[in-house]
Every structure is written in C-alpha cells, then in structure tokens.
Amino acid sequence: VALTIFMVVTGLLSVLPVPTAAAAVPLNACSKTVGTIVAVDFAAWGGPIARGCGVHDPSGYALLHSAGFTTAGDSHDGPALICRLGDAAFDHGTQYPTPAQDACVVTPPASAYWSFWLAPAGQNIWSPSDLGPMSDVPKPGEVEMWVFGDSDTDGASTSGAPSVSPDTLRAHNASPATTTPTPRRTSAGPVTSAPSSAPASRPAAPTARGPAGGQPHSSPAPTAGTASTTGQVLSPATTRTTPRLSPAATERDPSAPATASSPSPSIVAALPDSSGGGTAGSAVPLLVGVGLVALLGSGAAVAARQRRRHGE
Amino acid sequence: MTTRPGRAPRILHPIAWWIWALGIAVAVSRTVNPTLLFLALAVLGFVVARRRTDAPWARAFKYYLGFGVFVITSRVIFHTVFGSGITPTDHILIHLPQLATPGWYSGVTIGGPVSLEGTLTAAALGLRLATLICCVGAANALANPKRALRVLPGALYELGMAIVVAISVAPQLIESVQRVTRARRLRAGGGRGGGGLRALRSVVIPVLEDALERSLLLARAMDSRGYGRSGNTPRASRRITAALMILGMVGLCMGIYGLLDRTAPRYLGFPTILVGAASCCAGLALGGRRVTRTQYRPDPWRLEEWIVAGCGVASAALMILAYGFDATGVNPSFYPLHYPPFPGVAAVGFLLGALAGVVAPPPPRASRPPAPAPPTSADARQPAPRPRVTA
C-alpha cells in the first residue's frame, strides 16, 4: 500500500506544474486607497520592522507572500498557522523563530507566537484579527501587522500590540506609483532591472539601495528625490539609514541598541524571497521504511496463510 | 464460529497485550510521519497474524483495518470539501467551484482549489487516527476481553455493569457481525445480491441489538455472581471512597489543565495532579479493601508477559526519545513537499514492538473436529446460554 501511494505521489509530482515564484509587489504600488501594507516586527531578535505591500490579495497569507515574506506553519496546524516568518531584509531571510527556538511541530505557546493585528483604512488603532491569515481578506488602505511575543490571549486588552502606530506604516501617497514599468520595492538603481531573479541581484542590492535611501523608510525631511517621487513618506520616527545599507548588519548592529531602547524602531522595506524553494530531499529513507513495512507485511501474510492451511 | 476454541494453559495474560498495544498507541500518537505510521500498522498486523487465537473476537483486526480506511477516506473528503486554504507554492490537484460565504462566516471555506500538500496532510492525520484505532483493535484481537475483566481493580466493582458493557461491547459487536452475516449467507437471497441500504438495515440492527443484549447478559451474569455488590460495608466507608474518587478525578482534570495552560498559576499544574492521583489511589485502595474475592485459576504473569509488555513500553519510550531529538523528523510537514524522513530511533522502537510477535508463546490452536468443550475456567464468569441469532 505504501509503495503504491509513494508511486502515485511521485507520479503526481512530475505531472503537476511546479508553481513559479510569485513576483513580489513593490512597496510603492500601495497608496492611501490602493493595496494593503503588511509589516512584520523582528524586534524580538533585534531586527527591524519589515514592511511590504500587496494589491488585491485574496488572503492575509497571500499578502505576506506577495510582499516578499516567507512563512512556515507547524506540523500540527498546517501552513495557515504562521509559526515562522522571514524576510530577505533581515538576516538573509532567516525565518524566525529559528528551529532551535521553536520546533514548530505543535501550536506555538501563547507566550511566544506571531500575533496578527489589523488597522483598517482611516483608523490609527490596532485591533487583533478575528480571522486567521488564510481567512482574512486584506482591504485597500488597511495595514496588517505581525508581532512576535506574549499577547493577551483573550484579545480584549492591547498587551502585546505593535509598538508603532498604524499610521507610521501606512502608505501616505495619494496614488500608487504604477508608471514605473517594473516597479519593485527597491525601485531605484540597477536592481529594478532584475528584481525577481533575486539570487543574482542580491549582492548588488545593498549598494543599489544606497541612493534610494529615502524610499523604504523615509527621513523626517524627505530630501532625497526618490523619496518624494515614490511618495513613501513615513512618520518622523524612522531616522536611521545605516542598518538598511546591509540587511544582515541590521541584526546585531552595535548601534542597534540605540534604536531598540528608543521607542522608534527602524522600519525597512521587505525584500523579495530569494531562497528559491526547498528541495524534495532524498527518497532513500522512505524506501528503507517501505522495505521494512514490506518485510513485516510478508511475515504477517505467511503467518496468515499457515493459519488458514492449519485451520481448513 | 460455533466452535469454542480449547484454551491451553498458555494464553498470554490479557493485560500484557493491552500494555503492549497501548505502548504502541502512545508512540503512534506522537507522530504523523506516514512511513512510521505504516511501519506501526505492519507491526500490528504482523503480531496479530502470528499470535491471535481462533476466538471470534480475535478476527476483529480486519474490521478495525476497514474502519481505518473509512477514517482516512472521510478525513480526505472533509479536507477536499472544506478546503483550508492553499499557499502560493502548492501543487494544485483540482479546482473545485468555491461557494461564496458571507463575511461573518469567512472562517469556513467550501470548495476552492485542492492542493496535493493539503490532501497528503489530511491523509497522514487520518492515517494516524486509523493506526490508533488499529492499536485498540490489535489489543481486542489478541487479549481475551473476558479474562481482562478478572484483573480489574476491586474498587471498580462499584461500577459493575457499566464496566462490563464498556469492555465487552466491541468484541461482542465483532462476533455479532460475523454471526449475522453468516446467517444471512446461509439463508437464500441474502448473499451478495441484496446489497445497499436494505442489506445494511438487515445487518446493522440485528448486530447492534445482539451485541448489546449479550453484553448486558454478561453483566447480569456477573452481577448474580457478586460483581458490583456493595456487600455489608458500612455506609461511611462507602461515602469516603466515593468522595476520594471524585476529589481525585477533579484533581486530575484540573492538574492536566494547569499543566497544559502555561498562563495558569503554577500550583494548579503538577501539585494538583499529584494530589488527584494520590486521592484516586487512596479511593481505589479503600474500595478494594472491603471487596473480598477469590480467583479461580488466575492467569500467570511470567517472563513472556514481562517481555511483551516491555516491548510496548519500549516503543513508546523510544518514540518519546526520538521526538526529543528530532521533533520535525517524527512530525514532518508537507509544506514544502518533500520525501518524509525516516527517524531511526522511532523505527527501532516499532520494530521492538514487532518482537512481541516472536517472543509471545503461540496461541493454542483449535483442533478439528471441534469438540464441544465443557465450560472451563474462563467460562465460569460468562453466561452459559448463548442467545441464538434471530436475524
């Protein structure tokens, strides 16, 4: 039986189309009335708040992936329960919590899990989402936020709520920047030419994003031309530009404590997923298991036949 | 089977089989790795095929297997109908038409795309439940339910009839199915022609009635032999026993809740469980003390019993060990799709479970032609007249 199932699955795998990696939506595709901003707070690991955009996504889950985040569920609840979150903008896309911190086999504890917060258009208050990320439908102008940590499980109080206000993250430009032929969140510089072929573009990304300094998290005075054109004018809370130059450096940046202690966390733009998906792994362990099952099964068959011959 | 198999002195102690099966069930409940689950099923099948008796209830295993297939199928169907959403990298099997649900009901989706990953996950979860059911089935097939009744703690005598019915109704059900289907086959027209709903009605109702009736009969017979009598114990002692038992159960429930909920105060966890367990033990001891009973020709507990029970415990222990080592190997996710790993420690645990099929003494075979055996020790507790099939 196992062998049949194994062959059916392998056969299906070769027949079914392998989905292509969804092209990430640029941050400036979102505006006050178009698209939904999604942000993930990596502060629990000393990281920034990564912020991305998605337009017309069918679910909050799809929104995360359009914005460039990667997610992992747990074995018990499936992919709909977000157990890990990662983004290329923080620590090379490592998903947090790491397997050492949470094996993601059973539902994460109420003291350490990714909580899901919403702020509808025009509202500057976070409220915990009633629905899971696969049931939630992002609305235009809304901000969705993922925060890790200890949240009040009844959801009534706001303990564990995001540390930044929704308006800090919200898109403030009146209309989306749709004029750019291939708009990407790293909209300036040479990266724009090949943003989806992320492995190739990654080495270039830090330098390329230098001139676009004002764009993903703008300074209080949007002096850079790119910032004003893309219109991503954020609150004055985010003044640091250095961590963004190298996403990896953000994590254990010696200067990071200054940001961490102050109530103004750094906000960076989410980068497209560059991991390129997992591999199918080795079939050898499965074959070993199937062999053992077949061995025991034939033992049982022999015993059953002996019994029948003995009985009849 | 009208033949009453002759009972040789060497039938393994039923409790040994139950410990073995429950040990494997504990191991199974910790994993969703399909390779390991199929291995567990193979182990169960191997041991049952080698060591079951020829008693009617010993043919139960194939019914449990069929029930397991039903469990897996229904799980997959439910997954397909109430899809739980897909991820952008899923391999899509089919696109079902999706029913639009109102906003307040959007937690449930009906229809929509069905992914290979989700279907495999549903099948693996169904397989785990099916394997758990088969563990109980293996214990029912291997252990004599009537002999198992004899070793219940004395305090449970209070519950008398409920316990007897609970323990014996599943094996009786299997026996009834066999007898009713055989009766139908003997009768003309009942064979394979008359399938469908009519056949179901003509089988299910007599089977249910027959099984329950015979369980009640057994309970009544045991009652008439003094089972479940309070006797001449003082009222105060009975009340103390009941209070201790209730306190113990409440303590156990609260303790488990306290252990699982990390936000609960600490004293609600382990200490409460200890108090509850101690109270239960005291209640059982107190209740058992006032029941005096003798046992005719008790089942021996020898080396083989120790080994068989130890095999089950070893499977559970090794699985828990493997879970500690490599939780994701024992419980792999199907997202993204990859071949399941095969954790060696857990596999060795299940293979130790298979050892029981070799170590346990072979069951005595019913000799042919069957002699209508005079009632032996085991039958002393069961009713002599067996109701005929009326279906």
Side-chain angles (χ1 to χ4, degrees), chain B residues 20 29 52 61 73 201 255 263:
Chain B
W20 171 81
S29 70
R52 72 172 172 86
F61 193 63
T73 324
R201 201 181 52 191
T263 57

Short mmCIF file of all heavy atoms in Angstrom, two decimals, chain B residues 20 29 52 61 73 201 255 263:
data_model
loop_
_atom_site.label_atom_id
_atom_site.label_comp_id
_atom_site.label_asym_id
_atom_site.label_seq_id
_atom_site.Cartn_x
_atom_site.Cartn_y
_atom_site.Cartn_z
N TRP B 20 1.12 -3.67 25.83
CA TRP B 20 1.85 -3.64 24.57
C TRP B 20 1.15 -2.73 23.56
O TRP B 20 1.75 -1.83 22.97
CB TRP B 20 1.97 -5.07 24.03
CG TRP B 20 2.50 -5.17 22.65
CD1 TRP B 20 3.82 -5.11 22.27
CD2 TRP B 20 1.74 -5.33 21.45
NE1 TRP B 20 3.91 -5.24 20.92
CE2 TRP B 20 2.66 -5.36 20.38
CE3 TRP B 20 0.38 -5.45 21.17
CZ2 TRP B 20 2.25 -5.51 19.06
CZ3 TRP B 20 -0.02 -5.60 19.86
CH2 TRP B 20 0.91 -5.62 18.83
N SER B 29 0.67 8.11 18.62
CA SER B 29 0.04 9.42 18.81
C SER B 29 1.04 10.55 18.74
O SER B 29 0.66 11.71 18.63
CB SER B 29 -0.69 9.45 20.14
OG SER B 29 0.25 9.46 21.19
N ARG B 52 -2.73 -14.28 17.28
CA ARG B 52 -4.12 -14.23 17.70
C ARG B 52 -4.64 -15.65 17.88
O ARG B 52 -4.11 -16.60 17.30
CB ARG B 52 -4.96 -13.47 16.70
CG ARG B 52 -5.22 -14.17 15.39
CD ARG B 52 -6.23 -13.38 14.59
NE ARG B 52 -6.39 -13.91 13.24
CZ ARG B 52 -7.23 -14.90 12.96
NH1 ARG B 52 -7.91 -15.50 13.90
NH2 ARG B 52 -7.34 -15.33 11.71
N PHE B 61 -9.45 -7.85 13.86
CA PHE B 61 -8.48 -6.87 13.36
C PHE B 61 -8.84 -6.34 11.98
O PHE B 61 -8.69 -5.16 11.69
CB PHE B 61 -7.08 -7.50 13.34
CG PHE B 61 -5.99 -6.49 13.15
CD1 PHE B 61 -5.78 -5.49 14.08
CD2 PHE B 61 -5.20 -6.53 12.02
CE1 PHE B 61 -4.78 -4.56 13.91
CE2 PHE B 61 -4.20 -5.59 11.84
CZ PHE B 61 -4.00 -4.61 12.78
N THR B 73 -10.48 7.98 4.50
CA THR B 73 -11.26 8.49 3.37
C THR B 73 -12.10 9.69 3.79
O THR B 73 -12.13 10.71 3.10
CB THR B 73 -12.20 7.39 2.84
OG1 THR B 73 -11.54 6.15 2.94
CG2 THR B 73 -12.58 7.65 1.42
N ARG B 201 -29.67 -2.44 6.61
CA ARG B 201 -30.68 -2.48 7.65
C ARG B 201 -30.80 -3.87 8.23
O ARG B 201 -30.98 -4.06 9.42
CB ARG B 201 -32.01 -2.02 7.08
CG ARG B 201 -32.98 -1.55 8.15
CD ARG B 201 -34.28 -1.14 7.52
NE ARG B 201 -34.80 -2.20 6.66
CZ ARG B 201 -35.81 -2.04 5.82
NH1 ARG B 201 -36.36 -0.85 5.71
NH2 ARG B 201 -36.24 -3.02 5.08
N GLY B 255 -5.41 19.42 37.20
CA GLY B 255 -3.96 19.35 37.07
C GLY B 255 -3.53 19.31 35.61
O GLY B 255 -2.59 19.99 35.21
N THR B 263 -0.41 29.83 31.17
CA THR B 263 -0.72 31.06 31.88
C THR B 263 -1.37 30.76 33.23
O THR B 263 -1.55 31.67 34.03
CB THR B 263 -1.68 31.92 31.05
OG1 THR B 263 -2.85 31.15 30.77
CG2 THR B 263 -1.04 32.35 29.76
#
